[in-house]
Amino acid sequence: MSNVNEVKEFDAVIIGAGFAGIYQLLKLRRLGLNVIILEKADQIGGTWHWNRYPGARCDIPSLEYSYQFDESLQQEWNWTEKYSAQPEILEYLNHVADRFELRDGIQFEEEVQSAKFNEDNLKWNLSTNKATYQTKFCIFATGCLSVPNKPNFDGIENFEGELLQTSNWPHEEQDFTGRKVAIIGTGSSAIQSIPIIAEQAEELYVFQRTPNYSIPSNNGPMDKSIEKEIKARYSEFRQENYLNGFGIAGISDESLIAETELEEVHQQLEENWQSAGLGFFGGYADIPIDKDANEVAADFVRNKIKEIVKNPDTASLLCPDYHIGGKRLCVDTGYFETFNRENVHLIDLKANPIQTINSNSIEAHKSYEIDTLILATGFDAMTGALTNIDITGRENIKLKDQWEEGAKSYLGIGISNFPNLFTITGPGSPSVLSNMMPSIEQHVNWITDCIDWMIQNDKAVIESSETAEEEWMSLVNEIADMTVFTDTKSWYNGSNIEEKAKAFLPFIGVPVYTEMIEEVVNEDYKGFIFDRMN
Ligand code: N01
């Protein structure tokens, strides 16, 4: 029988068994380290475990939204669709865990509650709901969109119907047949689920605070000729993608709307609307940076919405008035078309805010009787998973306090005052403004090489210098200020959560980022301090 007071000792503890944690486990094991993953859920998957709402699927083609670290894996795995659905993505991750014999390195249903750096023995002490751990390295693979935002709607505790949240969806299949359903929120999760729920529900009330731009996915069965072509040169294809602005194939055309005849622009935008999905945003190089060019693309999409949605008042409410891409662009299957159904009703929350929620209704400008309420209200993005754990670094500094005015990190990997703590796709890295999969692999490879280098060079402790961190975040903001991302309220800058510091966190530009993190390594980890003397 194990002793409950026993402190379990590891070289490295990884928090989270999603795509990042699983690969990090493999890499550190290959380095010969004694490693464990602590995972809150009862199975692997991270984002893809929790977000199992109807219609959940990736919106980056699966041939890219997949691991590249093992040639046989990427050759042998066959995706059934262009954009795979959540169950298939989870099946893939389970396959990887089995193929590389990783399951015995994961402790399930263990939620990390605190992590404290001990300056005497230079180790981290972690407490979970079940046990305590001591480790030299602490790696947070906790994801960028993993802590649900649950707004405190007046009276929600009185609701007696079925209350669901897209980001924590039940495992059992939900049948909405004959039900009156309300959904609050119109971000990517809602945009994917609404068309499917609308087909079943008797009535569907969509409560929208801000409309979103969405591009048709044109999803379908995997095109075998494209698959063959990519697989014939898979590693080359992956390397090329690191040279594209958002790390995604075909998303960075160099032509400018500003220098192109409007008729030609419209023809090209039409082609991109039909086939590019998220790539619509990078279809011209000036859409992300030039407000006038952005307006041409935005207006194109608004016109599409007005063409698709038959009721002009509904169409008008569905048209966003901010820069396209300012909020995360969505990709859909039949979203706008759904508003032509008689059982689907759009409620504008700006004009008609929710007053209260009763046992069986939502009260706004009128009463909406409902059986089911779905919250599709997003996440405490990019920092929530870290600030929700009690993390204490040197001199008893709490991460939550250090980040009170806004998160700061060096490269999105290291944080000053928090030695030997690494974040995978942390704030200050391309993360959510890139294809998460190659960005995860890039960070895991970087962190593994860094730990290996420390072992080879007899270094015990690494931490970011405050100067490097300050300069890095200034650069993140300087780049962002050159784009359309900063003047729209979005979860990229914390505006979706009232009490959160407003700071723009993703690094924009995968190729520049890649060059810079490689340069840091080539210059013996410049900006980091090793074995700091107090
Ligand atoms: O969350 P969101 P999400 N009262 O934050 C509204 C990724 N993802 O889960 O815009 C009323 O986008 C809020 O309104 P507003 C993707 O990166 C990817 O949909 O703040 N409404 C908004 O409409 C995505 O961007 C996929 O005014 C409130 C909605 O809730 C990210 O996850 C699929 C409210 C939240 O939208 C998050 O998407 C799904 C309130 N108090 C998600 N609070 C793929 O395709 C919030 N809202 C891979």
Side-chain angles (χ1 to χ4, degrees):
M1 214 174 124
S2 74
N3 177 353
V4 283
N5 295 321
E6 180 198 356
V7 177
K8 300 178 183 180
E9 184 83 32
F10 287 91
D11 298 324
V13 170
I14 300 163
I15 299 117
F19 274 98
I22 291 289
Y23 180 45
Q24 185 68 80
L25 173 64
L26 173 67
K27 287 290 284 185
L28 290 181
R29 273 188 166 178
R30 285 183 175 170
L31 210 57
L33 267 58
N34 182 21
V35 195
I36 189 94
I37 295 184
L38 302 177
E39 167 56 55
K40 176 166 80 168
D42 61 1
Q43 54 180 278
I44 63 171
T47 292
W48 296 104
H49 162 73
W50 298 103
N51 291 267
R52 42 180 83 216
Y53 56 83
R57 60 177 69 249
C58 57
D59 59 7
I60 288 171
S62 291
L63 283 165
E64 293 177 64
Y65 194 86
S66 46
Y67 287 124
Q68 59 185 287
F69 68 82
D70 187 278
E71 182 60 16
S72 329
L73 171 69
Q74 66 179 1
Q75 288 296 338
E76 288 162 23
W77 183 267
N78 296 314
W79 297 101
T80 58
E81 290 177 277
K82 179 178 178 187
Y83 300 103
S84 296
Q86 176 268 341
E88 192 174 2
I89 297 173
L90 204 53
E91 189 188 326
Y92 169 73
L93 192 54
N94 275 287
H95 168 77
V96 173
D98 291 334
R99 186 175 176 130
F100 296 96
E101 298 177 350
L102 297 170
R103 285 190 195 278
D104 62 347
I106 310 169
Q107 242 4 87
F108 292 105
E109 295 182 89
E110 278 214 41
E111 181 169 8
V112 175
Q113 293 160 338
S114 68
K116 191 172 187 328
F117 185 66
N118 180 340
E119 291 191 74
D120 295 330
N121 67 3
L122 306 175
K123 291 196 170 171
W124 282 93
N125 288 96
L126 283 85
S127 299
T128 73
N129 50 326
K130 289 186 181 161
T132 52
Y133 295 83
Q134 183 162 267
T135 175
K136 182 168 175 181
F137 295 105
C138 200
I139 302 167
F140 283 84
T142 38
C144 298
L145 295 155
S146 41
V147 174
N149 170 36
K150 196 171 180 188
N152 195 15
F153 294 107
D154 184 80
I156 195 162
E157 67 284 2
N158 301 324
F159 184 63
E160 288 175 3
E162 184 186 29
L163 180 62
L164 300 170
Q165 185 145 19
T166 48
S167 50
N168 189 3
W169 198 262
H171 285 210
E172 308 73 45
E173 197 163 326
Q174 304 297 303
D175 183 4
F176 299 104
T177 310
R179 297 183 78 83
K180 295 190 177 72
V181 180
I183 184 162
I184 303 177
T186 48
S188 300
S189 305
I191 282 177
Q192 288 187 329
S193 54
I194 282 170
I196 296 171
I197 297 168
E199 281 174 14
Q200 297 173 2
E202 185 180 314
E203 304 292 344
L204 176 61
Y205 303 105
V206 178
F207 288 84
Q208 170 187 274
R209 187 163 70 180
T210 316
N212 261 297
Y213 293 98
S214 187
I215 311 296
S217 70
N218 292 301
N219 190 29
M222 176 61 68
D223 181 327
K224 287 289 168 192
S225 61
I226 293 179
E227 183 185 36
K228 194 171 164 204
E229 199 185 303
I230 288 179
K231 284 190 173 180
R233 51 184 293 275
Y234 224 148
S235 58
E236 211 180 309
F237 172 75
R238 303 279 201 179
Q239 282 313 311
E240 280 166 13
N241 295 344
Y242 279 116
L243 301 174
N244 285 339
F246 296 100
I248 302 169
I251 201 174
S252 57
D253 196 288
E254 282 174 10
S255 7
L256 302 175
I257 287 184
E259 292 177 355
T260 314
E261 289 293 328
L262 205 54
E263 200 184 337
E264 193 187 321
V265 169
H266 279 148
Q267 275 170 12
Q268 186 61 52
L269 291 177
E270 179 63 39
E271 202 177 295
N272 296 352
W273 170 267
Q274 299 294 343
S275 62
L278 275 186
F280 185 90
F281 183 60
Y284 280 96
D286 48 359
I287 296 177
I289 51 172
D290 174 346
K291 289 177 182 167
D292 294 333
N294 187 282
E295 184 55 21
V296 173
D299 213 36
F300 178 90
V301 177
R302 286 191 285 259
N303 284 331
K304 283 287 179 194
I305 297 170
K306 288 176 193 157
E307 268 171 35
I308 297 168
V309 180
K310 294 195 178 109
N311 179 321
D313 295 334
T314 307
S316 166
L317 281 178
L318 287 166
C319 286
D321 61 1
Y322 50 86
H323 302 310
I324 185 167
K327 278 182 188 291
R328 165 66 152 74
L329 193 59
C330 302
V331 175
D332 69 278
T333 301
Y335 176 64
F336 295 116
E337 289 81 350
T338 299
F339 290 90
N340 292 330
R341 295 177 67 103
E342 282 186 2
N343 66 334
V344 176
H345 318 276
L346 183 65
I347 297 109
D348 174 18
L349 284 178
K350 284 205 173 120
N352 312 297
I354 293 172
Q355 306 295 339
T356 191
I357 296 175
N358 289 328
S359 60
N360 67 346
S361 66
I362 295 183
E363 307 297 324
H365 58 301
K366 63 181 216 184
S367 183
Y368 293 91
E369 208 175 287
I370 53 167
D371 310 299
T372 302
L373 171 57
I374 301 172
L375 300 178
T377 42
F379 300 88
D380 181 353
M382 306 198 68
T383 55
L386 296 163
T387 53
N388 272 282
I389 298 173
D390 180 15
I391 305 176
T392 312
R394 283 195 191 275
E395 295 163 29
N396 277 322
I397 296 170
K398 302 265 183 200
L399 183 66
K400 201 174 175 173
D401 295 338
Q402 184 161 309
W403 279 3
E404 201 175 356
E405 305 289 316
K408 288 192 176 151
S409 153
Y410 181 41
L411 314 178
I413 296 176
I415 306 164
S416 65
N417 296 316
F418 293 83
N420 286 356
L421 181 152
F422 297 99
T423 53
I424 301 174
T425 63
S429 72
S431 60
V432 293
L433 278 176
S434 70
N435 177 359
M436 285 300 289
M437 291 296 298
S439 288
I440 282 171
E441 285 191 76
Q442 183 178 59
H443 272 190
V444 170
N445 292 339
W446 195 100
I447 291 165
T448 310
D449 289 348
C450 175
I451 291 176
D452 191 23
W453 187 89
M454 286 175 70
I455 296 167
Q456 305 304 325
N457 290 275
D458 211 15
K459 306 283 185 200
V461 181
I462 180 173
E463 61 208 279
S464 153
S465 81
E466 279 181 32
T467 315
E469 190 175 77
E470 284 292 335
E471 286 175 2
W472 184 259
M473 291 317 280
S474 301
L475 177 65
V476 168
N477 281 285
E478 255 170 56
I479 297 174
D481 285 341
M482 292 190 279
T483 70
V484 298
F485 285 106
T486 44
D487 51 8
T488 304
K489 282 187 171 182
S490 75
W491 57 256
Y492 293 140
N493 51 37
S495 312
N496 64 327
I497 303 211
E498 220 169 286
E499 61 277 14
K500 193 167 170 173
K502 307 297 169 257
F504 188 85
L505 298 177
F507 185 102
I508 303 170
V510 171
V512 177
Y513 180 81
T514 302
E515 225 174 84
M516 291 183 83
I517 59 165
E518 282 170 4
E519 195 181 299
V520 167
V521 176
N522 293 337
E523 296 185 27
D524 290 350
Y525 296 92
K526 74 168 175 191
F528 287 97
I529 307 165
F530 290 97
D531 299 343
R532 173 180 144 184
M533 307 299 270
N534 282 321

